[in-house]
Amino acid sequence: VYARNNQAAVFNYRKNKLNVFGNVSRNERNHFQELRIQRRFMEPVSKQVVSHFEQLSMMRQYNNSNNMKLGADFQLTPKTSVGSVVNGFYNASTFANNSDINISDAQGNLQYITRAQSRSQDQFRHLGGNVNMRHRFDSTGRELTADLDYLYYNSRDRMHMINRYTNAAGAPILTPDTIAGNLPQLIHIYSAKADYVHPLQKGARFEAGWKSSYVATDNNAVYDSILNGSQVRDIGRSNYFIYEEQIHAAYANYTRTFSKKLNAQLGLRMEHTAANGTQRTTGERFELNYTQLFPTVYLQYQPGEHNNFVLNYGRRIRRPDYRSLNPFVEFLDRYTFEQGNPYLRPQFSHNIELSHSFKRFLTTTLNYT
């Protein structure tokens, strides 16, 4: 049975200038996945197939997630309010995989069989805090907001894998090998931001803001092999990776209605990124340091009652996530694993979209990235 369930409770209390809110929730998930892999190994020069690889993996995962949020807002003055929020979660999961791997020669005759079993237990904790402020200068909409945030993530993953080898008849041909792994990960994120809105004449509006963040990750993967009943450190698979990242960004937006037919919004964001990573086990190190501009343009043109045209343009950045940068090896079995790449670079894109709406009934959109 692969069932799921959810429970949640929400509360809110408001009196005079104080507002208190929060929620707690819990959910359980059971997942099942069947993975089939077929590979052909070829001779590098002639490209002739020399062996076939067929794998069937039956995987099952159980997740138990517990979440909490507690916050309060307080109206200091008629124009100024402050607030704070604390949130967190505790996720526990188990993973089990059984794989049957058949390796055949070029003619398809079965040569070897590997039966792999892997088990892992993961505990993932998160704690976050926010302090915020909002000040309205007057009734025109001029206001200033500011936020301070701290996020903490702690993941502890323990795995155990054993591979058994037989010939086509099922007789053992090699001593089973066993790998035990302890893969902890710590992430600290600090950020601060401020945003200002200033109304102008004739319905125009100017917005500006700034945000800075600092991220530090600590990842110490320790693998051990079981040899003759004794646990021995596996130096080749173990790794210790430290990563730090700073991002500073400032932006400005200008919005204006030029006529009854034409509205426009123009924006520009500048980001500076400085990052460095160190693999302490191997001594490898890398650094990133760059500044980029990200313009945005929004134009809305309505020539008549029935037609409306909108043109959008924006340049965007997509950074690799921290898991993708982590060079740790995570095994499904001896032959199949995944590994991050600390030398990944961010992706930049230009996005253009033109849309037309007719009588608010038919919308046609063209986009290019």
Side-chain angles (χ1 to χ4, degrees):
V1 177
Y2 299 95
R4 62 178 60 185
N5 64 81
N6 300 277
Q7 304 87 37
V10 180
F11 74 91
N12 185 269
Y13 173 78
R14 181 186 295 272
K15 184 177 181 180
N16 300 327
K17 298 180 179 181
L18 178 65
N19 178 44
V20 180
F21 56 91
N23 63 69
V24 292
S25 63
R26 180 181 184 275
N27 64 73
E28 289 183 280
R29 295 288 187 272
N30 276 295
H31 308 271
F32 175 80
Q33 183 179 2
E34 179 180 302
L35 174 66
R36 293 179 182 270
I37 299 175
Q38 292 182 322
R39 298 171 178 151
R40 292 183 303 165
F41 293 93
M42 294 182 289
E43 203 280 330
V45 178
S46 67
K47 304 300 181 183
Q48 290 184 339
V49 175
V50 295
S51 64
H52 297 269
F53 177 102
E54 293 187 359
Q55 175 173 334
L56 172 62
S57 295
M58 310 294 284
M59 296 173 284
R60 180 168 181 171
Q61 186 170 9
Y62 166 78
N63 293 305
N64 176 8
S65 179
N66 303 272
N67 305 272
M68 172 277 298
K69 181 179 181 180
L70 179 64
D73 297 316
F74 186 75
Q75 195 74 33
L76 286 176
T77 70
K79 294 183 178 180
T80 305
S81 62
V82 294
S84 180
V85 179
V86 176
N87 61 78
F89 63 71
Y90 171 73
N91 295 346
S93 66
T94 58
F95 174 81
N97 169 61
N98 294 315
S99 295
D100 290 331
I101 300 136
N102 295 330
I103 299 178
S104 305
D105 61 19
Q107 290 72 40
N109 301 310
L110 182 61
Q111 301 293 306
Y112 310 106
I113 300 173
T114 302
R115 301 194 186 280
Q117 291 181 326
S118 61
R119 304 288 184 267
S120 66
Q121 293 182 328
D122 186 17
Q123 295 180 340
F124 191 25
R125 296 177 175 86
H126 160 67
L127 180 65
N130 166 269
V131 178
N132 57 82
M133 180 277 294
R134 179 184 181 188
H135 177 72
R136 289 170 290 184
F137 294 92
D138 48 44
S139 60
T140 64
R142 189 162 64 100
E143 70 173 31
L144 174 69
T145 59
D147 288 84
L148 295 174
D149 290 274
Y150 169 70
L151 302 174
Y152 168 78
Y153 297 92
N154 185 343
S155 175
R156 297 193 175 276
D157 185 7
R158 295 182 178 273
M159 60 83 64
H160 185 272
M161 179 180 67
I162 183 169
N163 300 285
R164 297 180 174 89
Y165 310 98
T166 68
N167 59 20
I173 56 174
L174 293 172
T175 302
D177 59 59
T178 302
I179 298 175
N182 182 15
L183 314 174
Q185 183 177 41
L186 291 175
I187 302 176
H188 298 273
I189 302 175
Y190 307 84
S191 69
K193 70 173 184 175
D195 300 279
Y196 175 70
V197 179
H198 189 101
L200 302 172
Q201 295 180 352
K202 298 181 180 181
R205 187 173 67 173
F206 174 76
E207 300 174 65
W210 152 82
K211 181 179 181 180
S212 289
S213 65
Y214 170 75
V215 179
T217 71
D218 187 300
N219 316 273
N220 188 10
V222 177
Y223 280 104
D224 294 321
S225 297
I226 310 299
L227 300 176
N228 301 319
S230 300
Q231 191 163 305
V232 180
R233 180 61 43 86
D234 192 329
I235 302 299
R237 294 188 175 101
S238 299
N239 201 347
Y240 191 1
F241 180 62
I242 301 292
Y243 178 77
E244 294 181 334
E245 176 186 84
Q246 294 185 52
I247 301 175
H248 305 283
Y251 77 92
N253 286 330
Y254 177 73
T255 305
R256 180 179 174 182
T257 299
F258 289 93
S259 67
K260 293 182 179 180
K261 297 181 179 181
L262 180 62
N263 299 318
Q265 178 176 320
L266 306 175
L268 181 64
R269 188 177 83 256
M270 182 177 68
E271 288 190 6
H272 175 73
T273 301
N276 64 81
T278 303
Q279 297 189 56
R280 292 189 174 180
T281 306
T282 63
E284 295 180 68
R285 179 179 173 83
F286 75 92
E287 291 187 4
L288 286 177
N289 199 313
Y290 58 90
T291 301
Q292 295 284 334
L293 294 175
F294 301 92
T296 57
V297 177
Y298 173 87
L299 298 174
Q300 182 184 36
Y301 179 65
Q302 191 168 0
E305 180 182 355
H306 301 316
N307 295 283
N308 184 52
F309 294 89
V310 174
L311 176 65
N312 257 314
Y313 164 76
R315 184 173 186 256
R316 298 188 179 96
I317 183 174
R318 180 183 177 186
R319 295 181 175 85
D321 58 53
Y322 303 126
R323 182 185 179 91
S324 298
L325 293 170
N326 195 331
F328 290 180
V329 176
E330 294 189 38
F331 292 94
L332 181 66
D333 52 61
R334 179 178 179 176
Y335 308 100
T336 307
F337 61 88
E338 62 180 1
Q339 182 178 18
N341 179 6
Y343 297 100
L344 287 176
R345 294 295 183 261
Q347 168 185 289
F348 299 93
S349 63
H350 296 273
N351 304 274
I352 303 173
E353 181 177 281
L354 174 64
S355 65
H356 169 250
S357 176
F358 178 69
K359 290 186 176 182
R360 298 184 180 179
F361 165 73
L362 177 64
T363 300
T364 305
T365 302
L366 298 174
N367 58 67
Y368 172 74
T369 300

